[in-house]
Amino acid sequence: MAAPREPSEMRILSVAGEHLRQHGLRRFTVVAVAEEAGMTHANVYRYFPSRTALIDAVVDVWLKSAERKLADIADGPDPAEDKLERLILALAKANRDLLHEEPHLFAALSQAVAKRHAISRRNRTRVRALFERVIDDGIATGAFEPRDRDRAIAFVIDATHRFIHPASLELEADVPQASVDARLATLIRVALRTLATGVI
Amino acid sequence: MAAPREPSEMRILSVAGEHLRQHGLRRFTVVAVAEEAGMTHANVYRYFPSRTALIDAVVDVWLKSAERKLADIADGPDPAEDKLERLILALAKANRDLLHEEPHLFAALSQAVAKRHAISRRNRTRVRALFERVIDDGIATGAFEPRDRDRAIAFVIDATHRFIHPASLELEADVPQASVDARLATLIRVALRTLATGVI
DNA sequence: GCAGTTACATTTTACAAATTTTGTCATTTT
DNA sequence: AAAATGACAAAATTTGTAAAATGTAACTGC
């Protein structure tokens, strides 16, 4: 899907990634990125239409890489129950790890989500599609028997929201990971049981 | 519990409430509140130790009033299932209505929560206690049979987080209320069923 | 002694000028 | 023709400073 990027474009993107991770959104300037990439800032605009677009491109690289891991899970040969559990855990872990290991990049993602940038809306749509696929898979194999498929999908997303959405993760940044993991495990168990027993 | 406030303190609090609702956090000044209350700003400090404390006091009035409604539900004679459902609905509705009807006050509450002010921590503790009471009630009457009481409480709070926490409510400010209501109803149904059937 | 004020030091905020950055485009370079 | 630059207007940020607000304490009148 992604067009093969030219070397200059790649270089800019890579330098921009370093800058964003190291200095954060506020200190991120097109001028500084261009200088470190060995060109004038005007040339950056040949490849990225705006500062915001460049930042979004950096975030998008991370989002796409996370999506690939999720897609691998969703497309695997395992039972839908296992895949749904691993999908939720992987998504929660990816975001939570980003919060702790790359706080500046997390902040940029968080802002893109809050301001509903195209990259985050599209990511949301694609991730949601993965959930739909796995749940449909489970319905097809009889593992899940919800009365209303759409309602079941919304339920899973709403119930796990606390452990997945950047805005919610920030709230609990200092809660011990083990405790969060235990609570998420409970929630997943309930969600799987709910899908299996047709309560919805 | 609350000490009977002196007339001046009440007057300041009431004027501060109007100012906060009308002008918002940014334009809220102790000088303006004092002037409208017919005194100099220095006198305000006889009753409230700081601007922040005054704002928190205004938010606390609202929190306490919301808590009373919740306590009425929790202390009622109805079955624990009904009470838990109404508790969640009332809490979600109180916060959501505040967001739409008093956006400035909502913003002040949101900030107090984000910055973990004492008023919000205590409110959280008391609201949590209401949930615990109702769930314990349900366990005592046999309506709920969770394997682990604490885990069950955490589960209910985590699962409904999306519809209750200010930070999450802001995200969906523009989603039609009917749609949100339907999703919350689903979540409540699942939570009640889960508590009843001892999955946790 | 209590409610309130006046006076004042400290901290924020508001605003204007200077500087930097963003974004565009004609021109140069390869 | 594609890649890059220099020059420039518009927008955003920073800097310095005046004004306002916050917060303290000594003082006044009841």
Side-chain angles (χ1 to χ4, degrees):
Chain A
M1 282 296 156
R5 297 177 183 287
E6 302 173 45
S8 289
E9 189 174 350
M10 283 299 293
R11 173 147 181 72
I12 294 165
L13 195 53
S14 138
V15 170
E18 290 171 35
H19 267 247
L20 190 57
R21 277 163 226 260
Q22 284 173 24
H23 310 300
L25 269 175
R26 284 213 36 180
R27 299 199 190 180
F28 178 98
T29 69
V30 178
V31 169
V33 169
E35 188 178 10
E36 194 165 314
M39 60 186 71
T40 57
H41 77 277
N43 199 43
V44 169
Y45 287 92
R46 286 183 48 74
Y47 301 96
F48 299 94
S50 68
R51 174 184 183 270
T52 302
L54 178 52
I55 291 167
D56 280 354
V58 171
V59 173
D60 204 38
V61 169
W62 186 87
L63 285 175
K64 289 271 170 55
S65 133
E67 274 175 42
R68 276 191 295 275
K69 292 175 201 159
L70 298 181
D72 285 348
I73 294 171
D75 293 337
D78 315 280
E81 287 182 53
D82 293 1
K83 292 200 291 188
L84 185 55
E85 170 162 22
R86 287 166 52 206
L87 205 56
I88 296 166
L89 284 172
L91 187 49
K93 181 171 163 49
N95 288 335
R96 186 165 223 269
D97 286 352
L98 188 67
L99 167 63
H100 288 114
E101 285 157 31
E102 304 280 13
H104 287 314
L105 188 53
F106 180 91
L109 167 60
S110 204
Q111 193 172 94
V113 171
K115 292 190 173 174
R116 294 179 161 77
H117 290 193
I119 52 151
S120 90
R121 288 205 317 273
R122 291 192 191 121
N123 169 259
R124 188 185 147 87
T125 303
R126 290 187 298 256
V127 170
R128 193 191 160 93
L130 293 178
F131 276 86
E132 293 183 2
R133 238 197 282 172
V134 172
I135 288 172
D136 285 341
D137 181 359
I139 292 173
T141 61
F144 301 148
E145 296 187 332
R147 284 200 239 131
D148 182 324
R149 167 205 184 255
D150 290 343
R151 195 180 299 172
I153 290 164
F155 157 70
V156 171
I157 291 171
D158 284 336
T160 55
H161 175 271
R162 194 197 198 330
F163 300 98
I164 284 175
H165 197 285
S168 291
L169 290 177
E170 276 177 286
L171 300 171
E172 295 208 301
D174 52 354
V175 175
Q177 184 132 15
S179 154
V180 175
D181 286 346
R183 284 158 45 206
L184 177 54
T186 299
L187 232 126
I188 291 174
R189 197 137 45 79
V190 170
L192 293 179
R193 178 66 86 91
T194 300
L195 289 175
T197 56
V199 178
I200 302 183
Chain B
M1 280 294 157
R5 298 179 182 286
E6 304 173 43
S8 289
E9 190 175 351
M10 282 299 293
R11 172 144 181 71
I12 294 164
L13 195 54
S14 137
V15 170
E18 289 172 36
H19 267 246
L20 190 58
R21 278 163 225 259
Q22 284 174 25
H23 310 301
L25 269 176
R26 285 213 36 179
R27 298 201 195 180
F28 177 97
T29 70
V30 178
V31 168
V33 170
E35 188 179 9
E36 194 164 314
M39 60 186 72
T40 57
H41 77 279
N43 198 45
V44 170
Y45 286 93
R46 288 184 48 74
Y47 302 95
F48 299 94
S50 68
R51 174 183 183 270
T52 303
L54 178 53
I55 291 167
D56 280 354
V58 171
V59 173
D60 204 38
V61 168
W62 185 87
L63 285 175
K64 290 271 172 53
S65 132
E67 274 175 41
R68 276 192 295 276
K69 290 175 203 161
L70 298 181
D72 285 348
I73 294 170
D75 294 337
D78 315 281
E81 287 182 55
D82 293 1
K83 294 200 291 187
L84 185 55
E85 170 161 21
R86 286 166 51 205
L87 205 57
I88 296 167
L89 285 172
L91 187 50
K93 180 171 164 49
N95 287 336
R96 186 165 224 270
D97 286 353
L98 189 67
L99 167 63
H100 288 114
E101 284 157 30
E102 303 279 12
H104 287 314
L105 187 53
F106 181 91
L109 167 61
S110 204
Q111 193 172 93
V113 171
K115 292 190 173 174
R116 293 177 162 79
H117 290 193
I119 52 152
S120 90
R121 288 204 317 274
R122 292 191 191 122
N123 168 259
R124 189 184 146 87
T125 302
R126 289 188 299 257
V127 170
R128 194 191 159 92
L130 293 178
F131 276 86
E132 293 182 2
R133 239 196 280 170
V134 171
I135 290 172
D136 286 340
D137 182 358
I139 293 172
T141 60
F144 301 149
E145 295 187 332
R147 285 200 239 133
D148 182 324
R149 169 207 182 254
D150 289 344
R151 195 179 298 172
I153 291 163
F155 157 70
V156 172
I157 291 171
D158 285 334
T160 55
H161 176 271
R162 192 193 199 332
F163 300 98
I164 284 175
H165 197 286
S168 291
L169 289 177
E170 276 176 287
L171 299 171
E172 296 207 301
D174 51 354
V175 175
Q177 183 132 16
S179 154
V180 176
D181 287 347
R183 284 157 46 205
L184 176 54
T186 299
L187 233 126
I188 291 174
R189 196 136 45 80
V190 171
L192 293 179
R193 178 64 87 92
T194 301
L195 290 174
T197 55
V199 179
I200 302 184

